[in-house]
Amino acid sequence: MMVFSLKGGVLLGFLAVGVVQAQLDTQIPIGTFQGNNSDACHDACTALASTLGEKVHHSTSLPSSLFSGYYTLMARSTIPLCIVHPTSSEDVSKAIKIISQHTCIFAIKSGGHAMFPGGSTAPGGIVLDLQLLNGLELSEDRGTLFLGTGNRWGAVYEFLMPWNLTVVGGRVGDVGVGGFLLGGGISFISRRYGWGCDNVRNYEIVLANGTITNISYASNPDLYFALRGGGKNFGIVTRFDLETHPNLPSWWGACKLGYCIDLDTFVAAISRLPIESENDHDAMGYGIFSSIPKANIYVVGTHTIHTGAINNAPSFTKLVSDLNTKSIHSTIRTQDPYGFTQELDAHNPVGVRVTYNTATFKVDQAFMKEVAKIYMQEVESIRGLEGFLGAYTTQTLARDEIAQFQKNGGNAFGIREEDGPLTILLVSFSWGSSKDDELVVRTAQNIIDRSVIIGKEMGVHHPFIYQNYAAKSQDVFAGYSVENQERLRRIQKEVDPEGVFVRLQPGYFSL
């Protein structure tokens, strides 16, 4: 098979030129509310407005500006009964007490990047939009960044630039801080420092009973453990205190386009990458396989970044050699780190219909080829849909990265260093019409389901499901170790005995 080679493409967003950018109407009538539009929620919204005043938006209509912060069009179309914009952890405390008292469903929004309806929205319920909790402050020794949950990563990196510092944060600047860190958090610098959750020194959190407390490894090792991958199940984090790291003035890598290459060469090169870069903590790379329906072709490629700014880094030499076709476009360069984040922002347009689905596997060349075949078979039925673009990526989880998971008592995932290197497979689709939602989401699920079946047959499947890439239908916590699942449930019952964050927050992944 011959495929067009794309080196350094970044998900399907790289190709999403001309995809629908529809916005909601200027005013959204209250009559379009969905779901939990009950007397209890009306009473809760009334009580919230009485307590928090103009920080609560609840009337006969809601301006569309309240929804423009959501990444997907589906999230923007899921309408709550009221939205609260707290400006302090005290506001959050008051709000959660009222919500709990009235037993109304709710959702928490940090950056609004959840890929499915209800993830950070509550149809007919209440949304706590934390965007105004956007404080940024460095400690005196500059070793800790005090980071409000309402921030997005682009603003964080800009803030740290004058001190030549960085944190383990998102690769896309528009992504919010909260969900990224509570779900794990893969970063450009994760090979050296682990995931975002492994670099949080302290959490300021509002518990189900309204208590505001600070949680660190020293003060409460159980809850600290649970917040490192346990998601929304334990409370509302209003501030993260992140360890800072020195930032080199420039990195090397990004995007290159070229001519034809065969599938066998591609999967061989991608499968070798974790081995060839095993001892280089600054080398980050992943493979991409994508379809461009209008051109009736498939494309393959890699996205490589070297955070040590080594031009043509030895870790990538074989990869570049194997995939070194005639170049037609390149953004490969040496640039300040924030420039790479800005590039990914441009490749991930907001306001589109998007779905994600994911699974994890051991690195294996034969398996990677089977995944490509499954992808092509499944995509045939949807590639002609209005506005359709599709891709899957193979995100390497290296052994040195996994080793960092054990810092400060370990995170909640239960992945062992000897499990690696692993590949986190992400299927990502975008499309233009709501009438195709069910078909596209089901196709993405089929690709993952079939890949898992074959992966188990070949002995390369790993149970971990990365929360930040998961579809709503996936049981994220079933992929954690049994021991960690039991520990998480015990901690959840201790800090939230009434199950507020499970019972009343149904839209995101529950224990």
Side-chain angles (χ1 to χ4, degrees), residues 430-466:
S430 73
W431 65 102
S433 175
S434 60
K435 66 181 175 60
D436 298 320
D437 287 0
E438 183 179 350
L439 175 59
V440 176
V441 170
R442 186 172 66 248
T443 302
Q445 183 68 60
N446 288 347
I447 293 170
I448 291 297
D449 288 347
R450 291 180 61 188
S451 297
V452 167
I453 290 170
I454 289 182
K456 288 180 177 179
E457 291 174 353
M458 299 177 71
V460 298
H461 175 253
H462 190 282
F464 178 67
I465 299 172
Y466 181 37

PDB file of all heavy atoms in Angstrom, residues 430-466:
ATOM      1  N   SER A 430     -13.706  14.468  13.205  1.00  0.00           N
ATOM      2  CA  SER A 430     -14.560  15.655  13.169  1.00  0.00           C
ATOM      3  C   SER A 430     -15.460  15.557  11.943  1.00  0.00           C
ATOM      4  O   SER A 430     -15.110  14.910  10.949  1.00  0.00           O
ATOM      5  CB  SER A 430     -13.729  16.941  13.134  1.00  0.00           C
ATOM      6  OG  SER A 430     -13.118  17.125  11.869  1.00  0.00           O
ATOM      7  N   TRP A 431     -16.640  16.200  12.024  1.00  0.00           N
ATOM      8  CA  TRP A 431     -17.614  16.117  10.941  1.00  0.00           C
ATOM      9  C   TRP A 431     -18.552  17.307  11.020  1.00  0.00           C
ATOM     10  O   TRP A 431     -18.504  18.097  11.969  1.00  0.00           O
ATOM     11  CB  TRP A 431     -18.382  14.797  11.010  1.00  0.00           C
ATOM     12  CG  TRP A 431     -19.257  14.619  12.231  1.00  0.00           C
ATOM     13  CD1 TRP A 431     -20.607  14.760  12.325  1.00  0.00           C
ATOM     14  CD2 TRP A 431     -18.809  14.256  13.550  1.00  0.00           C
ATOM     15  NE1 TRP A 431     -21.033  14.522  13.603  1.00  0.00           N
ATOM     16  CE2 TRP A 431     -19.956  14.205  14.371  1.00  0.00           C
ATOM     17  CE3 TRP A 431     -17.568  13.986  14.115  1.00  0.00           C
ATOM     18  CZ2 TRP A 431     -19.896  13.894  15.736  1.00  0.00           C
ATOM     19  CZ3 TRP A 431     -17.501  13.681  15.471  1.00  0.00           C
ATOM     20  CH2 TRP A 431     -18.647  13.624  16.254  1.00  0.00           C
ATOM     21  N   GLY A 432     -19.415  17.448  10.016  1.00  0.00           N
ATOM     22  CA  GLY A 432     -20.148  18.691   9.876  1.00  0.00           C
ATOM     23  C   GLY A 432     -21.585  18.726  10.321  1.00  0.00           C
ATOM     24  O   GLY A 432     -22.104  19.797  10.631  1.00  0.00           O
ATOM     25  N   SER A 433     -22.285  17.586  10.386  1.00  0.00           N
ATOM     26  CA  SER A 433     -23.735  17.606  10.610  1.00  0.00           C
ATOM     27  C   SER A 433     -24.131  16.786  11.834  1.00  0.00           C
ATOM     28  O   SER A 433     -23.638  15.667  12.038  1.00  0.00           O
ATOM     29  CB  SER A 433     -24.451  17.055   9.375  1.00  0.00           C
ATOM     30  OG  SER A 433     -25.846  16.958   9.609  1.00  0.00           O
ATOM     31  N   SER A 434     -25.077  17.302  12.599  1.00  0.00           N
ATOM     32  CA  SER A 434     -25.554  16.607  13.790  1.00  0.00           C
ATOM     33  C   SER A 434     -26.266  15.300  13.448  1.00  0.00           C
ATOM     34  O   SER A 434     -26.299  14.380  14.267  1.00  0.00           O
ATOM     35  CB  SER A 434     -26.500  17.512  14.591  1.00  0.00           C
ATOM     36  OG  SER A 434     -27.626  17.877  13.796  1.00  0.00           O
ATOM     37  N   LYS A 435     -26.810  15.186  12.251  1.00  0.00           N
ATOM     38  CA  LYS A 435     -27.502  13.953  11.872  1.00  0.00           C
ATOM     39  C   LYS A 435     -26.546  12.761  11.783  1.00  0.00           C
ATOM     40  O   LYS A 435     -26.986  11.602  11.812  1.00  0.00           O
ATOM     41  CB  LYS A 435     -28.248  14.128  10.549  1.00  0.00           C
ATOM     42  CG  LYS A 435     -27.366  14.343   9.332  1.00  0.00           C
ATOM     43  CD  LYS A 435     -28.189  14.529   8.064  1.00  0.00           C
ATOM     44  CE  LYS A 435     -27.319  14.873   6.867  1.00  0.00           C
ATOM     45  NZ  LYS A 435     -26.313  13.859   6.543  1.00  0.00           N
ATOM     46  N   ASP A 436     -25.257  13.046  11.697  1.00  0.00           N
ATOM     47  CA  ASP A 436     -24.257  11.976  11.585  1.00  0.00           C
ATOM     48  C   ASP A 436     -23.583  11.658  12.919  1.00  0.00           C
ATOM     49  O   ASP A 436     -22.674  10.816  12.960  1.00  0.00           O
ATOM     50  CB  ASP A 436     -23.186  12.370  10.557  1.00  0.00           C
ATOM     51  CG  ASP A 436     -23.759  12.558   9.164  1.00  0.00           C
ATOM     52  OD1 ASP A 436     -24.639  11.758   8.779  1.00  0.00           O
ATOM     53  OD2 ASP A 436     -23.330  13.495   8.473  1.00  0.00           O
ATOM     54  N   ASP A 437     -24.005  12.318  13.989  1.00  0.00           N
ATOM     55  CA  ASP A 437     -23.333  12.148  15.284  1.00  0.00           C
ATOM     56  C   ASP A 437     -23.223  10.679  15.686  1.00  0.00           C
ATOM     57  O   ASP A 437     -22.141  10.182  16.012  1.00  0.00           O
ATOM     58  CB  ASP A 437     -24.075  12.910  16.387  1.00  0.00           C
ATOM     59  CG  ASP A 437     -23.890  14.418  16.293  1.00  0.00           C
ATOM     60  OD1 ASP A 437     -23.191  14.882  15.375  1.00  0.00           O
ATOM     61  OD2 ASP A 437     -24.461  15.125  17.141  1.00  0.00           O
ATOM     62  N   GLU A 438     -24.346   9.986  15.702  1.00  0.00           N
ATOM     63  CA  GLU A 438     -24.368   8.606  16.195  1.00  0.00           C
ATOM     64  C   GLU A 438     -23.475   7.698  15.356  1.00  0.00           C
ATOM     65  O   GLU A 438     -22.719   6.876  15.893  1.00  0.00           O
ATOM     66  CB  GLU A 438     -25.800   8.073  16.206  1.00  0.00           C
ATOM     67  CG  GLU A 438     -25.913   6.669  16.778  1.00  0.00           C
ATOM     68  CD  GLU A 438     -27.358   6.163  16.805  1.00  0.00           C
ATOM     69  OE1 GLU A 438     -28.284   6.970  16.567  1.00  0.00           O
ATOM     70  OE2 GLU A 438     -27.548   4.962  17.064  1.00  0.00           O
ATOM     71  N   LEU A 439     -23.521   7.856  14.046  1.00  0.00           N
ATOM     72  CA  LEU A 439     -22.739   7.007  13.150  1.00  0.00           C
ATOM     73  C   LEU A 439     -21.240   7.232  13.353  1.00  0.00           C
ATOM     74  O   LEU A 439     -20.465   6.270  13.440  1.00  0.00           O
ATOM     75  CB  LEU A 439     -23.126   7.293  11.695  1.00  0.00           C
ATOM     76  CG  LEU A 439     -22.300   6.571  10.617  1.00  0.00           C
ATOM     77  CD1 LEU A 439     -22.391   5.059  10.765  1.00  0.00           C
ATOM     78  CD2 LEU A 439     -22.748   7.016   9.219  1.00  0.00           C
ATOM     79  N   VAL A 440     -20.829   8.481  13.444  1.00  0.00           N
ATOM     80  CA  VAL A 440     -19.403   8.780  13.570  1.00  0.00           C
ATOM     81  C   VAL A 440     -18.870   8.306  14.917  1.00  0.00           C
ATOM     82  O   VAL A 440     -17.798   7.679  14.995  1.00  0.00           O
ATOM     83  CB  VAL A 440     -19.150  10.289  13.386  1.00  0.00           C
ATOM     84  CG1 VAL A 440     -17.671  10.608  13.613  1.00  0.00           C
ATOM     85  CG2 VAL A 440     -19.570  10.741  11.985  1.00  0.00           C
ATOM     86  N   VAL A 441     -19.610   8.574  15.984  1.00  0.00           N
ATOM     87  CA  VAL A 441     -19.175   8.141  17.314  1.00  0.00           C
ATOM     88  C   VAL A 441     -19.080   6.620  17.376  1.00  0.00           C
ATOM     89  O   VAL A 441     -18.128   6.059  17.942  1.00  0.00           O
ATOM     90  CB  VAL A 441     -20.140   8.680  18.390  1.00  0.00           C
ATOM     91  CG1 VAL A 441     -19.849   8.055  19.746  1.00  0.00           C
ATOM     92  CG2 VAL A 441     -20.035  10.205  18.485  1.00  0.00           C
ATOM     93  N   ARG A 442     -20.056   5.930  16.782  1.00  0.00           N
ATOM     94  CA  ARG A 442     -20.048   4.466  16.784  1.00  0.00           C
ATOM     95  C   ARG A 442     -18.862   3.913  15.986  1.00  0.00           C
ATOM     96  O   ARG A 442     -18.243   2.918  16.372  1.00  0.00           O
ATOM     97  CB  ARG A 442     -21.360   3.924  16.212  1.00  0.00           C
ATOM     98  CG  ARG A 442     -21.473   2.395  16.312  1.00  0.00           C
ATOM     99  CD  ARG A 442     -22.847   1.907  15.932  1.00  0.00           C
ATOM    100  NE  ARG A 442     -23.165   2.133  14.530  1.00  0.00           N
ATOM    101  CZ  ARG A 442     -24.092   2.985  14.096  1.00  0.00           C
ATOM    102  NH1 ARG A 442     -24.793   3.699  14.968  1.00  0.00           N
ATOM    103  NH2 ARG A 442     -24.314   3.140  12.806  1.00  0.00           N
ATOM    104  N   THR A 443     -18.517   4.571  14.877  1.00  0.00           N
ATOM    105  CA  THR A 443     -17.384   4.118  14.063  1.00  0.00           C
ATOM    106  C   THR A 443     -16.076   4.243  14.826  1.00  0.00           C
ATOM    107  O   THR A 443     -15.224   3.339  14.787  1.00  0.00           O
ATOM    108  CB  THR A 443     -17.322   4.915  12.754  1.00  0.00           C
ATOM    109  OG1 THR A 443     -18.547   4.760  12.033  1.00  0.00           O
ATOM    110  CG2 THR A 443     -16.174   4.437  11.883  1.00  0.00           C
ATOM    111  N   ALA A 444     -15.895   5.355  15.530  1.00  0.00           N
ATOM    112  CA  ALA A 444     -14.691   5.517  16.353  1.00  0.00           C
ATOM    113  C   ALA A 444     -14.620   4.418  17.408  1.00  0.00           C
ATOM    114  O   ALA A 444     -13.547   3.836  17.651  1.00  0.00           O
ATOM    115  CB  ALA A 444     -14.688   6.893  17.010  1.00  0.00           C
ATOM    116  N   GLN A 445     -15.760   4.105  18.013  1.00  0.00           N
ATOM    117  CA  GLN A 445     -15.796   3.051  19.021  1.00  0.00           C
ATOM    118  C   GLN A 445     -15.474   1.685  18.401  1.00  0.00           C
ATOM    119  O   GLN A 445     -14.771   0.868  18.998  1.00  0.00           O
ATOM    120  CB  GLN A 445     -17.176   3.003  19.687  1.00  0.00           C
ATOM    121  CG  GLN A 445     -17.300   1.977  20.812  1.00  0.00           C
ATOM    122  CD  GLN A 445     -16.473   2.350  22.022  1.00  0.00           C
ATOM    123  OE1 GLN A 445     -16.666   3.404  22.619  1.00  0.00           O
ATOM    124  NE2 GLN A 445     -15.542   1.482  22.406  1.00  0.00           N
ATOM    125  N   ASN A 446     -15.981   1.454  17.189  1.00  0.00           N
ATOM    126  CA  ASN A 446     -15.705   0.176  16.511  1.00  0.00           C
ATOM    127  C   ASN A 446     -14.206  -0.022  16.278  1.00  0.00           C
ATOM    128  O   ASN A 446     -13.682  -1.136  16.431  1.00  0.00           O
ATOM    129  CB  ASN A 446     -16.434   0.125  15.164  1.00  0.00           C
ATOM    130  CG  ASN A 446     -17.932  -0.053  15.309  1.00  0.00           C
ATOM    131  OD1 ASN A 446     -18.429  -0.384  16.389  1.00  0.00           O
ATOM    132  ND2 ASN A 446     -18.661   0.180  14.233  1.00  0.00           N
ATOM    133  N   ILE A 447     -13.528   1.048  15.881  1.00  0.00           N
ATOM    134  CA  ILE A 447     -12.090   0.947  15.629  1.00  0.00           C
ATOM    135  C   ILE A 447     -11.353   0.547  16.910  1.00  0.00           C
ATOM    136  O   ILE A 447     -10.493  -0.340  16.899  1.00  0.00           O
ATOM    137  CB  ILE A 447     -11.540   2.278  15.078  1.00  0.00           C
ATOM    138  CG1 ILE A 447     -12.124   2.548  13.678  1.00  0.00           C
ATOM    139  CG2 ILE A 447     -10.010   2.264  15.027  1.00  0.00           C
ATOM    140  CD1 ILE A 447     -11.837   3.943  13.155  1.00  0.00           C
ATOM    141  N   ILE A 448     -11.716   1.186  18.009  1.00  0.00           N
ATOM    142  CA  ILE A 448     -11.074   0.856  19.282  1.00  0.00           C
ATOM    143  C   ILE A 448     -11.456  -0.550  19.730  1.00  0.00           C
ATOM    144  O   ILE A 448     -10.593  -1.345  20.152  1.00  0.00           O
ATOM    145  CB  ILE A 448     -11.434   1.896  20.356  1.00  0.00           C
ATOM    146  CG1 ILE A 448     -10.781   3.241  20.020  1.00  0.00           C
ATOM    147  CG2 ILE A 448     -11.009   1.413  21.741  1.00  0.00           C
ATOM    148  CD1 ILE A 448      -9.271   3.229  20.006  1.00  0.00           C
ATOM    149  N   ASP A 449     -12.739  -0.908  19.637  1.00  0.00           N
ATOM    150  CA  ASP A 449     -13.181  -2.238  20.073  1.00  0.00           C
ATOM    151  C   ASP A 449     -12.469  -3.345  19.295  1.00  0.00           C
ATOM    152  O   ASP A 449     -11.994  -4.332  19.878  1.00  0.00           O
ATOM    153  CB  ASP A 449     -14.692  -2.381  19.898  1.00  0.00           C
ATOM    154  CG  ASP A 449     -15.491  -1.579  20.910  1.00  0.00           C
ATOM    155  OD1 ASP A 449     -14.896  -1.112  21.899  1.00  0.00           O
ATOM    156  OD2 ASP A 449     -16.716  -1.420  20.710  1.00  0.00           O
ATOM    157  N   ARG A 450     -12.380  -3.177  17.993  1.00  0.00           N
ATOM    158  CA  ARG A 450     -11.720  -4.192  17.170  1.00  0.00           C
ATOM    159  C   ARG A 450     -10.216  -4.238  17.457  1.00  0.00           C
ATOM    160  O   ARG A 450      -9.613  -5.323  17.473  1.00  0.00           O
ATOM    161  CB  ARG A 450     -11.978  -3.906  15.695  1.00  0.00           C
ATOM    162  CG  ARG A 450     -13.428  -4.125  15.254  1.00  0.00           C
ATOM    163  CD  ARG A 450     -13.603  -3.812  13.767  1.00  0.00           C
ATOM    164  NE  ARG A 450     -12.772  -4.675  12.928  1.00  0.00           N
ATOM    165  CZ  ARG A 450     -12.619  -4.508  11.609  1.00  0.00           C
ATOM    166  NH1 ARG A 450     -13.235  -3.500  10.999  1.00  0.00           N
ATOM    167  NH2 ARG A 450     -11.854  -5.332  10.908  1.00  0.00           N
ATOM    168  N   SER A 451      -9.622  -3.085  17.698  1.00  0.00           N
ATOM    169  CA  SER A 451      -8.194  -3.045  18.021  1.00  0.00           C
ATOM    170  C   SER A 451      -7.925  -3.741  19.346  1.00  0.00           C
ATOM    171  O   SER A 451      -6.921  -4.460  19.494  1.00  0.00           O
ATOM    172  CB  SER A 451      -7.704  -1.591  18.082  1.00  0.00           C
ATOM    173  OG  SER A 451      -7.826  -0.960  16.814  1.00  0.00           O
ATOM    174  N   VAL A 452      -8.803  -3.551  20.315  1.00  0.00           N
ATOM    175  CA  VAL A 452      -8.641  -4.205  21.622  1.00  0.00           C
ATOM    176  C   VAL A 452      -8.747  -5.725  21.472  1.00  0.00           C
ATOM    177  O   VAL A 452      -7.958  -6.474  22.057  1.00  0.00           O
ATOM    178  CB  VAL A 452      -9.685  -3.678  22.625  1.00  0.00           C
ATOM    179  CG1 VAL A 452      -9.731  -4.558  23.878  1.00  0.00           C
ATOM    180  CG2 VAL A 452      -9.371  -2.236  23.007  1.00  0.00           C
ATOM    181  N   ILE A 453      -9.706  -6.181  20.675  1.00  0.00           N
ATOM    182  CA  ILE A 453      -9.867  -7.628  20.464  1.00  0.00           C
ATOM    183  C   ILE A 453      -8.595  -8.224  19.873  1.00  0.00           C
ATOM    184  O   ILE A 453      -8.064  -9.239  20.355  1.00  0.00           O
ATOM    185  CB  ILE A 453     -11.081  -7.910  19.560  1.00  0.00           C
ATOM    186  CG1 ILE A 453     -12.381  -7.590  20.304  1.00  0.00           C
ATOM    187  CG2 ILE A 453     -11.086  -9.373  19.098  1.00  0.00           C
ATOM    188  CD1 ILE A 453     -13.617  -7.615  19.419  1.00  0.00           C
ATOM    189  N   ILE A 454      -8.082  -7.598  18.815  1.00  0.00           N
ATOM    190  CA  ILE A 454      -6.864  -8.106  18.177  1.00  0.00           C
ATOM    191  C   ILE A 454      -5.664  -7.949  19.109  1.00  0.00           C
ATOM    192  O   ILE A 454      -4.793  -8.832  19.185  1.00  0.00           O
ATOM    193  CB  ILE A 454      -6.624  -7.394  16.833  1.00  0.00           C
ATOM    194  CG1 ILE A 454      -7.674  -7.855  15.816  1.00  0.00           C
ATOM    195  CG2 ILE A 454      -5.222  -7.662  16.312  1.00  0.00           C
ATOM    196  CD1 ILE A 454      -7.511  -7.252  14.450  1.00  0.00           C
ATOM    197  N   GLY A 455      -5.616  -6.840  19.844  1.00  0.00           N
ATOM    198  CA  GLY A 455      -4.521  -6.631  20.785  1.00  0.00           C
ATOM    199  C   GLY A 455      -4.464  -7.704  21.854  1.00  0.00           C
ATOM    200  O   GLY A 455      -3.382  -8.176  22.229  1.00  0.00           O
ATOM    201  N   LYS A 456      -5.640  -8.123  22.332  1.00  0.00           N
ATOM    202  CA  LYS A 456      -5.681  -9.201  23.324  1.00  0.00           C
ATOM    203  C   LYS A 456      -5.230 -10.523  22.697  1.00  0.00           C
ATOM    204  O   LYS A 456      -4.495 -11.298  23.321  1.00  0.00           O
ATOM    205  CB  LYS A 456      -7.090  -9.330  23.896  1.00  0.00           C
ATOM    206  CG  LYS A 456      -7.476  -8.194  24.841  1.00  0.00           C
ATOM    207  CD  LYS A 456      -8.891  -8.370  25.375  1.00  0.00           C
ATOM    208  CE  LYS A 456      -9.247  -7.276  26.368  1.00  0.00           C
ATOM    209  NZ  LYS A 456     -10.639  -7.415  26.889  1.00  0.00           N
ATOM    210  N   GLU A 457      -5.662 -10.774  21.463  1.00  0.00           N
ATOM    211  CA  GLU A 457      -5.254 -12.007  20.789  1.00  0.00           C
ATOM    212  C   GLU A 457      -3.745 -12.058  20.578  1.00  0.00           C
ATOM    213  O   GLU A 457      -3.126 -13.126  20.671  1.00  0.00           O
ATOM    214  CB  GLU A 457      -5.972 -12.117  19.434  1.00  0.00           C
ATOM    215  CG  GLU A 457      -7.473 -12.357  19.540  1.00  0.00           C
ATOM    216  CD  GLU A 457      -8.153 -12.305  18.184  1.00  0.00           C
ATOM    217  OE1 GLU A 457      -7.477 -11.961  17.185  1.00  0.00           O
ATOM    218  OE2 GLU A 457      -9.363 -12.608  18.109  1.00  0.00           O
ATOM    219  N   MET A 458      -3.140 -10.894  20.323  1.00  0.00           N
ATOM    220  CA  MET A 458      -1.702 -10.826  20.070  1.00  0.00           C
ATOM    221  C   MET A 458      -0.892 -10.639  21.354  1.00  0.00           C
ATOM    222  O   MET A 458       0.342 -10.588  21.310  1.00  0.00           O
ATOM    223  CB  MET A 458      -1.406  -9.688  19.081  1.00  0.00           C
ATOM    224  CG  MET A 458      -2.067  -9.864  17.723  1.00  0.00           C
ATOM    225  SD  MET A 458      -1.780  -8.469  16.587  1.00  0.00           S
ATOM    226  CE  MET A 458      -0.028  -8.691  16.212  1.00  0.00           C
ATOM    227  N   GLY A 459      -1.583 -10.503  22.474  1.00  0.00           N
ATOM    228  CA  GLY A 459      -0.901 -10.352  23.753  1.00  0.00           C
ATOM    229  C   GLY A 459      -0.277  -8.996  23.981  1.00  0.00           C
ATOM    230  O   GLY A 459       0.668  -8.874  24.780  1.00  0.00           O
ATOM    231  N   VAL A 460      -0.820  -7.934  23.335  1.00  0.00           N
ATOM    232  CA  VAL A 460      -0.214  -6.609  23.471  1.00  0.00           C
ATOM    233  C   VAL A 460      -1.162  -5.583  24.085  1.00  0.00           C
ATOM    234  O   VAL A 460      -0.794  -4.419  24.241  1.00  0.00           O
ATOM    235  CB  VAL A 460       0.298  -6.091  22.103  1.00  0.00           C
ATOM    236  CG1 VAL A 460       1.374  -7.006  21.553  1.00  0.00           C
ATOM    237  CG2 VAL A 460      -0.853  -5.926  21.101  1.00  0.00           C
ATOM    238  N   HIS A 461      -2.374  -5.992  24.452  1.00  0.00           N
ATOM    239  CA  HIS A 461      -3.322  -5.039  25.027  1.00  0.00           C
ATOM    240  C   HIS A 461      -2.957  -4.717  26.464  1.00  0.00           C
ATOM    241  O   HIS A 461      -2.549  -5.584  27.243  1.00  0.00           O
ATOM    242  CB  HIS A 461      -4.744  -5.613  24.990  1.00  0.00           C
ATOM    243  CG  HIS A 461      -5.760  -4.729  25.666  1.00  0.00           C
ATOM    244  ND1 HIS A 461      -6.321  -5.030  26.898  1.00  0.00           N
ATOM    245  CD2 HIS A 461      -6.301  -3.541  25.285  1.00  0.00           C
ATOM    246  CE1 HIS A 461      -7.165  -4.084  27.234  1.00  0.00           C
ATOM    247  NE2 HIS A 461      -7.173  -3.170  26.278  1.00  0.00           N
ATOM    248  N   HIS A 462      -3.087  -3.435  26.836  1.00  0.00           N
ATOM    249  CA  HIS A 462      -2.918  -2.987  28.221  1.00  0.00           C
ATOM    250  C   HIS A 462      -4.236  -2.345  28.655  1.00  0.00           C
ATOM    251  O   HIS A 462      -4.849  -1.604  27.875  1.00  0.00           O
ATOM    252  CB  HIS A 462      -1.771  -1.974  28.335  1.00  0.00           C
ATOM    253  CG  HIS A 462      -1.388  -1.638  29.738  1.00  0.00           C
ATOM    254  ND1 HIS A 462      -2.114  -0.779  30.527  1.00  0.00           N
ATOM    255  CD2 HIS A 462      -0.341  -2.057  30.511  1.00  0.00           C
ATOM    256  CE1 HIS A 462      -1.542  -0.676  31.718  1.00  0.00           C
ATOM    257  NE2 HIS A 462      -0.461  -1.444  31.736  1.00  0.00           N
ATOM    258  N   PRO A 463      -4.715  -2.577  29.871  1.00  0.00           N
ATOM    259  CA  PRO A 463      -6.058  -2.125  30.253  1.00  0.00           C
ATOM    260  C   PRO A 463      -6.214  -0.624  30.456  1.00  0.00           C
ATOM    261  O   PRO A 463      -7.352  -0.129  30.514  1.00  0.00           O
ATOM    262  CB  PRO A 463      -6.322  -2.873  31.575  1.00  0.00           C
ATOM    263  CG  PRO A 463      -4.966  -3.178  32.118  1.00  0.00           C
ATOM    264  CD  PRO A 463      -4.110  -3.443  30.911  1.00  0.00           C
ATOM    265  N   PHE A 464      -5.129   0.128  30.554  1.00  0.00           N
ATOM    266  CA  PHE A 464      -5.233   1.557  30.850  1.00  0.00           C
ATOM    267  C   PHE A 464      -6.014   2.299  29.770  1.00  0.00           C
ATOM    268  O   PHE A 464      -5.793   2.111  28.574  1.00  0.00           O
ATOM    269  CB  PHE A 464      -3.841   2.167  30.981  1.00  0.00           C
ATOM    270  CG  PHE A 464      -3.846   3.648  31.235  1.00  0.00           C
ATOM    271  CD1 PHE A 464      -4.330   4.162  32.424  1.00  0.00           C
ATOM    272  CD2 PHE A 464      -3.375   4.537  30.280  1.00  0.00           C
ATOM    273  CE1 PHE A 464      -4.345   5.532  32.667  1.00  0.00           C
ATOM    274  CE2 PHE A 464      -3.372   5.901  30.503  1.00  0.00           C
ATOM    275  CZ  PHE A 464      -3.859   6.407  31.702  1.00  0.00           C
ATOM    276  N   ILE A 465      -6.945   3.155  30.206  1.00  0.00           N
ATOM    277  CA  ILE A 465      -7.712   4.030  29.315  1.00  0.00           C
ATOM    278  C   ILE A 465      -7.452   5.461  29.771  1.00  0.00           C
ATOM    279  O   ILE A 465      -7.846   5.845  30.883  1.00  0.00           O
ATOM    280  CB  ILE A 465      -9.218   3.719  29.363  1.00  0.00           C
ATOM    281  CG1 ILE A 465      -9.488   2.282  28.903  1.00  0.00           C
ATOM    282  CG2 ILE A 465     -10.009   4.702  28.503  1.00  0.00           C
ATOM    283  CD1 ILE A 465     -10.936   1.836  29.095  1.00  0.00           C
ATOM    284  N   TYR A 466      -6.789   6.249  28.948  1.00  0.00           N
ATOM    285  CA  TYR A 466      -6.415   7.609  29.321  1.00  0.00           C
ATOM    286  C   TYR A 466      -7.660   8.487  29.370  1.00  0.00           C
ATOM    287  O   TYR A 466      -8.326   8.706  28.357  1.00  0.00           O
ATOM    288  CB  TYR A 466      -5.388   8.152  28.330  1.00  0.00           C
ATOM    289  CG  TYR A 466      -4.904   9.552  28.625  1.00  0.00           C
ATOM    290  CD1 TYR A 466      -4.707   9.993  29.932  1.00  0.00           C
ATOM    291  CD2 TYR A 466      -4.632  10.434  27.593  1.00  0.00           C
ATOM    292  CE1 TYR A 466      -4.256  11.275  30.188  1.00  0.00           C
ATOM    293  CE2 TYR A 466      -4.172  11.712  27.833  1.00  0.00           C
ATOM    294  CZ  TYR A 466      -3.991  12.135  29.141  1.00  0.00           C
ATOM    295  OH  TYR A 466      -3.542  13.413  29.386  1.00  0.00           O
TER     296      TYR A 466
END
